[in-house]
Amino acid sequence: MIPVNPDRFLQDLHTLRGFGAAGLGKGVVRPAFSEADIAARKWLAARFAEAGLTPHFDPVGNLFGLAEGPSLLMGSHSDSQPEGGWLDGALGVIAALEVARAARDSGGPPVSVVSFQDEEGRFGVTTGSAIWSGTLPLAEADALVDHAGIGFAAERAKLADLAGDFVDPGRFTGFLELHIEQGPTLDSTGGQIGVVTDIVGIRDMRITFDGQQNHAGTTPMHLRRDAFQALAAFTAEINAHFSGVVTPATVWTIGHVALHPNASSIVAGRAVFSMQWRDGSAERLDRMEEIIRTVASEVADARDLSLSFGPMLGLQPVAMDRRLFAALEEGARQVAPGRWQILPSGALHDSTNLSNLMPVAMLFVPSIGGISHAFAEDTAEDDLVAGLRVLAHAVPRLSG
Ligand code: HGY
Ligand code: MN
Ligand code: MN
Ligand code: MN
């Protein structure tokens, strides 16, 4: 086992939380390319250098801490949701840093570290690792805009002074990502470690209904072309139409809605919203897309509205690499006997994209109350350290 230092690990994790700390609890506001995100990345780069790793920003803000020669790669992301928890992504980056520097200090195997940019999808879905892995062409990414209309190209230019080339993925032998579970399974069963079997697939699409903006007092109900009423009808209809197709593990979410002009005395002329759906079967995701397109078009036609679909972003479901999985399983057996289990990931991770480049595997620790993507997200210290120790057990097995 690599002799990791839990105190140093926890201290760095808390320091990272200081960038964008917000809310009453431990939450953070550190979306990709925000001031807090950029400051955090500069701090991480300095910490990587202190650990004897070479800091390297690529053209899209992914930050690596490179060991010399071929190495294992470990990490996650350090951007957050607009209202995020302190561990989502940060845990995987800081645990990787601790393993890499403890390995170096003790003459262990070389480990490189990475913090991917925009995993949380301000511009889409796991943007930084999607570009690095070739899933998302850079030219397409540069055309993406966030919900406020700000472009990816302009945002990544903020780090242009620091940026080098894309890193050659051929220098890495595999990728390990430690993450909080972000769901209730481990917490509700007293589990301390989850070894991930596979990661679900996702589709995410922007949908727009355009009607007629008009006066809310004088426009008779039967003459309205109300974009909000269309959105409301769509949400009800879609649930009914999915019922024969989905399983209890399938999820779908309308998480972002913008009404125009969003005023109480105006019939909404436009509704723009995000439609996201996730499942372990690519066929089911495709089938759901057909239903979404059909229902939206029926709803628009019935109200004489026009309808448009934005680009659909998505990632296929992926299985973890057997050899890396087995090393994590063995580590879990050592660190948390009787308190570990295997489970799928319903959340998305950079590991999905990296599976196009190299063998990958993932490890979970519990989320208290199953809460994440919220300021209230947290994990017991013992569990954070247990996750670190499993990595410390697994890494020497993978480097022999
Ligand atoms: O949404 C996700 O699953 C990821 O945390 N961005
Ligand atoms: Mn995450
Ligand atoms: Mn997240
Ligand atoms: Mn008036």
Side-chain angles (χ1 to χ4, degrees):
M1 175 182 156
I2 292 168
V4 287
N5 180 336
D7 292 336
R8 183 170 60 173
F9 157 71
L10 291 170
Q11 205 174 344
D12 276 348
L13 202 48
H14 282 283
T15 303
L16 180 51
R17 177 170 65 86
F19 295 95
L24 292 177
K26 293 178 175 169
V28 296
V29 174
R30 202 165 59 226
F33 301 111
S34 61
E35 260 179 50
D37 170 60
I38 289 173
R41 280 173 198 275
K42 288 180 176 167
W43 172 78
L44 277 170
R47 213 73 184 113
F48 291 173
E50 283 164 24
L53 304 165
T54 305
H56 180 98
F57 282 95
D58 79 6
V60 297
N62 296 321
L63 169 63
F64 291 80
L66 296 170
E68 264 172 49
S71 69
L72 199 60
L73 180 64
M74 294 170 60
S76 190
H77 60 97
S78 55
D79 63 301
S80 84
Q81 287 287 334
E83 284 195 9
W86 72 298
L87 297 169
D88 180 358
L91 171 63
V93 174
I94 299 297
L97 168 62
E98 179 52 33
V99 172
R101 77 187 150 198
R104 220 184 121 83
D105 292 350
S106 62
V111 174
S112 295
V113 182
V114 64
S115 169
F116 288 108
Q117 182 57 297
D118 196 27
E119 192 278 346
E120 298 291 11
R122 177 180 166 198
F123 292 99
V125 178
T126 60
T127 318
S129 59
I131 296 167
W132 186 48
S133 68
T135 318
L136 175 62
L138 183 56
E140 268 177 43
D142 276 342
L144 295 171
V145 291
D146 70 4
H147 288 300
I150 299 169
F152 180 74
E155 287 297 89
R156 77 180 176 90
K158 288 178 176 173
L159 282 166
D161 287 353
L162 297 172
D165 288 338
F166 285 103
V167 173
D168 173 11
R171 63 187 289 150
F172 305 119
T173 55
F175 179 64
L176 291 180
E177 181 172 8
L178 169 63
H179 206 281
I180 49 167
E181 183 202 332
Q182 309 184 273
T185 307
L186 292 171
D187 190 51
S188 62
T189 57
Q192 188 167 46
I193 295 290
V195 185
V196 175
T197 51
D198 48 76
I199 306 175
V200 299
I202 184 171
R203 304 275 189 275
D204 199 310
M205 186 162 66
R206 204 169 294 181
I207 304 179
T208 304
F209 287 120
D210 273 302
Q212 176 63 56
Q213 181 180 328
N214 212 335
H215 195 296
T218 59
T219 315
M221 297 309 285
H222 72 284
L223 291 181
R224 293 183 181 202
R225 295 169 58 224
D226 183 331
F228 173 72
Q229 290 291 336
L231 167 56
F234 174 82
T235 63
E237 289 285 318
I238 203 71
N239 288 358
H241 282 73
F242 278 164
S243 67
V245 175
V246 296
T247 75
T250 315
V251 292
W252 59 97
T253 308
I254 295 176
H256 186 274
V257 171
L259 290 182
H260 187 82
N262 210 17
S264 42
S265 289
I266 303 179
V267 175
R270 164 175 275 204
V272 186
F273 61 100
S274 61
M275 179 73 204
Q276 185 194 88
W277 61 109
R278 308 188 191 207
D279 191 84
S281 151
E283 292 71 36
R284 188 170 293 109
L285 292 171
D286 290 345
R287 179 81 191 95
M288 291 171 79
E289 181 188 344
E290 285 166 25
I291 294 171
I292 288 163
R293 289 182 186 272
T294 305
V295 168
S297 134
E298 286 169 1
V299 162
D301 288 350
R303 289 162 185 77
D304 194 20
L305 307 185
S306 58
L307 165 70
S308 57
F309 297 103
M312 193 186 64
L313 302 169
L315 295 174
Q316 297 292 81
V318 297
M320 300 296 98
D321 176 78
R322 282 174 168 279
R323 178 170 158 268
L324 270 58
F325 174 88
L328 292 177
E329 217 181 21
E330 184 50 34
R333 215 172 263 132
Q334 304 270 340
V335 171
R339 294 190 62 202
W340 67 277
Q341 59 187 278
I342 61 171
L343 79 181
S345 173
L348 207 63
H349 300 288
D350 294 305
S351 285
T352 293
N353 293 317
L354 267 72
S355 70
N356 292 322
L357 300 174
M358 62 190 83
V360 305
M362 285 198 76
L363 192 67
F364 283 164
V365 290
S367 293
I368 296 172
I371 293 174
S372 185
H373 285 187
F375 289 150
E377 170 192 290
D378 208 358
T379 296
E381 264 190 13
D382 281 357
D383 295 343
L384 296 173
V385 172
L388 173 71
R389 288 196 201 283
V390 174
L391 293 177
H393 270 277
V395 167
R397 283 174 191 281
L398 294 170
S399 311

